[in-house]
Amino acid sequence: MSKKVVLAYSGGLDTSYCLKYLKNELGYEVHTILINTGGFGEDELQAIEKRAYELGSANHLNLDIIDKYYEKAIKYLVYGNVLKTNTYPHSVSAERVFQALETVRYAKKVGS
C-alpha cells in the first residue's frame, strides 16, 4: 500500500516544488486540491489542474467554495468592519481556515 498525502495546491512555485518533492523524493501518492475562495478564472483553474497532473498528482480537485466562504465569513467581516490593526480586513486569515477545513475533508475522502 502506498503512502498518500494531500497537498493544498495553488500551482505556484512553492506548492509545485512540494508536489515533486513529496512524490519523487519521499515516494508519496500525492493528491492535490485547490480551494477557490475567489479570484481564479476558469482558464487559470484548468491550467493549474493540468500543471498538477504534469508534475505527478494522482488526483486533483478544484473546489469552489466562494458562496460558502462569503456566507459564513466575508459578509460578517464586511458588515462588522472587522479590521486588523485598523488597516485591512481579516479576510486572508479567515480564508486560510476555510482552506484548511476543506483540505482535511478531501484528505478523509482519499484516505490519507
Side-chain angles (χ1 to χ4, degrees):
M1 176 169 22
S2 66
K3 303 178 290 182
K4 295 180 184 178
V5 66
V6 169
L7 175 64
Y9 184 72
S10 67
L13 180 61
D14 294 345
T15 57
S16 293
Y17 173 82
C18 289
L19 171 53
K20 293 286 285 184
Y21 180 76
L22 290 165
K23 180 179 178 6
N24 297 335
E25 299 297 323
L26 300 182
Y28 281 96
E29 177 182 300
V30 183
H31 297 259
T32 52
I33 183 170
L34 182 144
I35 298 95
N36 185 10
T37 56
F40 290 99
E42 191 57 39
D43 289 347
E44 189 175 10
L45 291 170
Q46 289 174 1
I48 290 169
E49 181 175 1
K50 181 181 178 197
R51 186 175 315 124
Y53 284 120
E54 288 173 349
L55 294 174
S57 181
N59 191 42
H60 178 81
L61 175 65
N62 286 325
L63 182 63
D64 182 327
I65 65 162
I66 296 169
D67 291 340
K68 180 180 190 177
Y69 180 50
Y70 173 78
E71 287 298 322
K72 294 190 175 203
I74 292 297
K75 76 177 183 182
Y76 298 107
L77 295 172
V78 172
Y79 292 161
N81 195 30
V82 179
L83 302 174
K84 181 175 182 174
T85 63
N86 293 322
T87 309
Y88 63 91
H90 273 283
S91 59
V92 172
S93 55
E95 178 182 39
R96 298 296 183 249
V97 172
F98 280 78
Q99 291 170 330
L101 291 170
E102 295 300 336
T103 301
V104 169
R105 286 185 187 102
Y106 184 61
K108 287 180 178 180
K109 286 182 185 177
V110 299
S112 67

